[in-house]
Amino acid sequence: MRFFHVTAVTAVMCTLLLQACKKDEYVYPNVVTEFADARTDASGTLTQLITDKGKVMDIQYREGLNGLKSDTIYRTVSVFSPLESGEAFIYSTQLILSPEPEPADFFKTGIKTDPTDIRSIWQAGNYLNMILTPLVKDQSHSFHFIEYGCEEKGKKKILHLGLYHDHQNDEEAFTREVYLSVPLWKYEESFQQGDSIFFHINTYEEGETIRKFIFPTIKSY
């Protein structure tokens, strides 16, 4: 059973081997920071960036874009500049935790819903994206997504998903940003645009709460 861990002491996300350019070497014109998919080619080099709005941009080659798994799409937060050529120049990129939701019986030791707060949560493209701010100190926190099931109301369906969060008995010392994306690909054949997604999450401020979204039209790129 695979969980996704965030260490409070180090970076919130796994970081690709891409380094931001030094401030004294470059001027950043029209720099954008977005949640996006990053695709590698057969050699394991990042070659395309796909935004949640569906824009596909070839990545302008530079050193440091290789050494990754071949023919793979990574979920990222990327800092890039759209170029007049239609390409994207990437300054830095970080992996986002983005596991597919699993049913309750996947979690053999039980479902953990330790609290966090929500910086922001939104539906875009094929994902539910969120920036969470759990209280941490020096322990790894585990995150995943829970598939609670589906209900029907008339001709519409409601997909119930939730956040798995195990704070591993960490002390609540300070906040740390955690970036997550719920991939919705697996529901493409069962749900259609106009159906709903109810995302269940336990927060410090509101307790158990639900955020509601309209199911998108899933697009393949």
Side-chain angles (χ1 to χ4, degrees), residues 80-172:
F80 64 95
S81 180
L83 304 178
E84 291 184 2
S85 63
E87 297 176 304
F89 184 88
I90 290 186
Y91 296 107
S92 66
T93 189
Q94 294 178 303
L95 296 184
I96 295 176
L97 303 180
S98 188
E100 287 192 352
E102 299 287 355
D105 59 7
F106 171 85
F107 304 92
K108 302 304 182 184
T109 59
I111 291 175
K112 304 286 188 179
T113 58
D114 291 325
T116 180
D117 272 331
I118 303 169
R119 177 68 50 83
S120 59
I121 180 169
W122 69 99
Q123 184 278 319
N126 301 324
Y127 297 92
L128 286 183
N129 300 313
M130 60 196 74
I131 303 173
L132 306 179
T133 53
L135 289 167
V136 303
K137 187 178 182 184
D138 55 10
Q139 299 297 315
S140 295
H141 290 218
S142 299
F143 294 90
H144 213 300
F145 299 120
I146 310 157
E147 181 184 290
Y148 287 116
C150 169
E151 64 174 303
E152 295 189 12
K153 287 193 174 182
K155 296 182 179 180
K156 298 296 183 181
K157 295 180 180 179
I158 300 174
L159 173 64
H160 290 271
L161 302 175
L163 178 72
Y164 177 101
H165 175 208
D166 183 358
H167 64 20
Q168 308 284 358
N169 296 314
D170 197 11
E171 293 184 37
E172 297 180 342

